[in-house]
Amino acid sequence: MTASPIQDESRLCVHSITTKPWTIEEAAKYYAREGVAGITVWQNALEGRDPKIVGRMLREEGLTVVSLCRGGFFPASDAKGRQKAIDDNRRIVEQAAALGAPLVVLVCGAVPKQPLSVSRQQIQDGIEAIRPEAEAAGVKLGIEPLHPMYADFRSAVNTLGQANTMAEQIGSPSVGVVVDVYHLWWDPDLESEIERCGWNRHLFAFHICDWRVPTEDLLTDRELMGQGCINVPEIRGWVESTGFNGFNEVEIFSTRYWGEDQLEFLRKIKRAYRSAS
Ligand code: ZN
């Protein structure tokens, strides 16, 4: 099922990293002025700032704070490293609570040469360790599977099936998954795995962009929706058919677009959002 066309920006969220050259104050001002409804805040945007004050400023601009990106990176080759990751994630949960973000997106991590299965167990153990604090703070944790090209050190969780299994094993309403079309579009099981997490009520967030053809950089060459090879409306249709009615979050890392006038870029995002999402 392809989703019905998007008519307005009431469910449009933009990740602060998408307009990286802007400060968080600039992003807030221009997002609000352009009718963007939500913002996902990346940690770099909070550097040197009090998250409580930033959260208040965003809400005063009329924006909904959708999530904080990002926690995770749990695996490490020794116990000390794993403990440090857990401590760091506890601080990130506190930061999200102060910001007023209901969700922390987890980029789970991996250790090169360590078996991926070992890293996955360490990820699960790490999430279990911070779960009580997250629950107490009212902050959810979203496991975001990353494309397998990032399995070296960014994430040992590479399919939605793996993320779903982990969330189900943890078995808490506070732990779920994040679907990002960039990472998952290629997966032949994507539709059924979206159905699985949707009906289990642990589909927490939906990230969109496009896969540029040919891609020239594995991290910072993402495209606007409609400019690459991902059928975003089809995937959005699968997501919405589970009853998901959260934000469509535009997350584009692109040195190409970061080099442009950011207000022009934001307007391009709005056009692509309506015409190709
Ligand atoms: Zn994402």
Side-chain angles (χ1 to χ4, degrees):
M1 186 190 94
T2 292
S4 50
I6 287 173
Q7 310 287 353
D8 59 47
E9 280 79 36
S10 61
R11 288 177 55 203
L12 171 60
C13 165
V14 178
H15 282 226
S16 63
I17 196 86
T18 297
T19 55
K20 193 178 167 191
W22 276 343
T23 63
I24 192 71
E25 290 80 11
E26 288 170 322
K29 183 173 79 179
Y30 290 115
Y31 291 8
R33 195 182 287 179
E34 291 295 312
V36 174
I39 184 167
T40 278
V41 177
W42 277 63
Q43 276 187 307
N44 66 309
L46 292 176
E47 266 165 38
R49 290 170 172 80
D50 179 341
K52 225 175 204 160
I53 293 171
V54 172
R56 195 183 311 141
M57 181 273 294
L58 295 171
R59 282 183 288 277
E60 279 170 7
E61 288 283 3
L63 295 164
T64 298
V65 181
V66 177
S67 56
L68 174 65
C69 271
R70 59 195 188 185
F73 289 97
F74 292 106
S77 49
D78 58 26
K80 205 176 151 199
R82 291 193 290 278
Q83 187 56 49
K84 183 183 178 302
I86 288 167
D87 295 340
D88 288 347
N89 277 279
R90 287 194 172 122
R91 275 191 290 276
I92 293 165
V93 165
E94 280 170 21
Q95 204 176 26
L99 183 67
L103 173 69
V104 170
V105 175
L106 300 175
V107 170
C108 293
V111 176
K113 293 188 180 171
Q114 174 168 285
L116 291 169
S117 56
V118 172
S119 287
R120 277 195 288 277
Q121 187 58 54
Q122 293 175 355
I123 291 163
Q124 188 162 337
D125 293 347
I127 296 172
E128 293 275 17
I130 64 165
R131 185 169 64 107
E133 284 87 352
E135 284 172 357
V139 173
K140 291 184 174 183
L141 303 169
I143 303 165
E144 178 170 14
L146 260 51
H147 191 283
M149 69 181 171
Y150 297 128
D152 51 356
F153 67 92
R154 281 199 181 84
S155 186
V157 179
N158 306 107
T159 65
L160 188 53
Q162 289 169 340
N164 278 337
T165 298
M166 194 175 285
E168 285 166 14
Q169 284 175 356
I170 294 169
S172 160
S174 294
V175 179
V177 302
V178 174
V179 170
D180 185 325
V181 300
Y182 185 77
H183 297 296
L184 302 175
W185 67 279
W186 56 273
D187 185 348
D189 295 328
L190 184 57
E191 183 177 6
S192 58
E193 290 295 337
I194 285 175
E195 206 174 315
R196 176 180 166 195
C197 60
W199 293 119
N200 284 338
R201 303 208 173 278
H202 64 231
L203 172 47
F204 288 171
F206 180 50
H207 296 175
I208 57 175
C209 69
D210 211 338
W211 184 284
R212 190 166 190 274
V213 184
T215 287
E216 289 168 14
D217 185 282
L218 297 184
L219 191 62
T220 58
D221 198 23
R222 297 191 187 192
E223 252 303 356
L224 279 165
M225 297 73 73
Q227 301 295 313
C229 61
I230 302 177
N231 189 337
V232 180
E234 182 179 53
I235 300 174
R236 182 169 64 85
W238 296 340
V239 165
E240 289 179 359
S241 67
T242 69
F244 178 87
N245 61 2
F247 283 90
N248 300 306
E249 304 183 37
V250 178
E251 181 189 22
I252 300 174
F253 317 115
S254 166
T255 41
R256 208 176 296 270
Y257 289 117
W258 289 333
E260 288 189 3
D261 177 273
Q262 294 299 285
L263 187 54
E264 277 310 305
F265 176 39
L266 186 60
R267 289 175 177 153
K268 281 183 191 170
I269 289 171
K270 281 171 62 184
R271 285 196 291 275
Y273 179 66
R274 287 208 188 200
S275 65
S277 302

